[in-house]
């Protein structure tokens, strides 16, 4: 593997490890993250992992761009994938229902599956958290069953309720806060995904795994879920 280094800004470099999204990338991404954090030490301002890249923001007072490149090359020499199981495993309860996930029936029609089978397939997989972005605590997860892969909505919603679970292409995610959004919504989780009082703020981090667990309406409400229909949130 020969990582490619791309300039993002005067104090920021992008390290590209892969060109395509795959679950098999994650052990390499985690190993590279660990090596870079160790190699840069206090000169590292921020490290942002994604599906195929790592963005390295470094202290320009401490390092020149050439020195930063040299540190990256040194850190990633003879890189080996990290052993599986390093992250946490989360089980997120989800109430799958068209009142809070209006695209649930759309996905069923598009895939030729019954709604119950869409739910079963979405909740059967152990998803990898690839990256955080878009909104605080928004975890990009994948990869969903190919038959459930669906493009984003042509027109994003102006307001999506916190906890809404959606699918976009072969990604899945749960909205941590109220925000606009264009993903296909299929349910809602009562889990608190973003908390300013939590260490790290986000419930999930890259390298974690997530399984969605279907629950009924009563259990969803008992767990603190907001069952207000999506239209009422608009």
């Amino acid at each position: 593997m020969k990582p490619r280094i791309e300039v993002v800004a005067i104090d920021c470099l992008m390290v590209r490890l892969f060109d395509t999204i795959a679950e098999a990338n994650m052990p390499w991404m985690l190993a590279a993250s660990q090596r870079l954090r160790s190699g840069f030490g206090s000169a590292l301002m921020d490290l942002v992992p994604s599906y195929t890249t790592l963005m390295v923001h470094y202290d320009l007072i401490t390092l020149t761009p050439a020195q930063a490149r040299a540190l990256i090359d040194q850190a990633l020499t003879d890189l080996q994938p990290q052993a599986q199981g390093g992250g946490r495993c989360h089980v997120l309860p989800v109430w799958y229902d068209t009142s809070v996930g209006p695209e649930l029936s759309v996905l069923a029609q598009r895939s030729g599956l019954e709604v119950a089978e869409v739910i079963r397939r979405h909740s059967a997989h152990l998803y990898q958290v690839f990256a955080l972005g878009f909104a605080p605590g928004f975890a990009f997860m994948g990869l969903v069953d190919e038959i459930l892969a669906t493009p984003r909505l042509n027109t994003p919603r102006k307001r999506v309720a916190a906890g809404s679970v959606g699918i976009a292409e072969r990604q899945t995610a749960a909205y941590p806060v109220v925000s606009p959004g264009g993903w296909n919504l299929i349910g809602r989780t009562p889990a608190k995904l973003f908390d300013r009082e939590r260490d790290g703020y986000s419930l999930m981090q890259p390298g974690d795994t997530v399984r969605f667990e279907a629950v009924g309406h009563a259990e969803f409400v008992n767990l603190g879920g907001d069952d207000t229909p999506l239209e009422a949130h608009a």
Side-chain angles (χ1 to χ4, degrees), residues 11 49 68 109 141-142 202 210:
D11 58 352
Q109 293 172 1
M141 296 175 266
S202 175
V210 177

Side-chain angles (χ1 to χ4, degrees), residues 4-44:
R4 302 196 304 274
I5 302 174
E6 305 166 12
V7 177
V8 176
I10 191 171
D11 58 352
C12 192
L13 296 170
M14 186 80 77
V15 182
R16 185 172 300 279
L17 295 181
F18 301 97
D19 292 316
T20 57
I21 297 172
E23 290 174 310
N25 294 355
M26 187 50 63
W28 294 92
M29 301 296 290
L30 293 175
S33 295
Q34 190 174 57
R35 288 269 195 99
L36 289 169
R37 290 186 188 281
S38 176
F40 274 78
S42 61
L44 184 67

Side-chain angles (χ1 to χ4, degrees), residues 137-215:
F138 190 101
F140 290 85
M141 296 175 266
L143 298 168
V144 301
D145 191 317
E146 286 189 39
I147 200 170
L148 301 182
T150 308
R152 288 175 172 81
L153 302 177
N154 290 330
T155 303
R157 292 183 171 91
K158 294 180 180 179
R159 194 174 193 274
V160 174
S164 295
V165 176
I167 291 175
E169 303 296 347
R170 294 196 66 193
Q171 305 169 105
T172 189
Y175 286 76
V177 294
V178 175
S179 71
W183 291 42
N184 300 273
L185 305 183
I186 58 174
R188 193 176 293 171
T189 178
K192 192 170 186 178
L193 305 172
F194 176 75
D195 186 351
R196 291 184 177 87
E197 303 302 319
R198 180 188 291 130
D199 183 30
Y201 305 114
S202 175
L203 175 65
M204 296 170 283
Q205 297 293 331
D208 289 355
T209 52
V210 177
R211 188 181 300 282
F212 295 101
E213 182 179 71
V215 298

Side-chain angles (χ1 to χ4, degrees), residues 43-66:
L44 184 67
M45 306 299 291
D46 197 11
L47 182 67
V48 183
S50 186
Y51 291 96
T52 59
T53 63
L54 292 156
M55 188 172 71
V56 181
H57 180 201
Y58 59 92
D59 184 358
L60 196 58
I61 296 177
T62 305
L63 297 173
T64 66

Side-chain angles (χ1 to χ4, degrees), residues 98-116:
T98 54
S99 66
V100 293
E103 278 75 57
L104 182 59
S105 57
V106 175
L107 260 67
Q109 293 172 1
R110 179 174 293 177
S111 63
L113 302 173
E114 297 292 332
V115 167

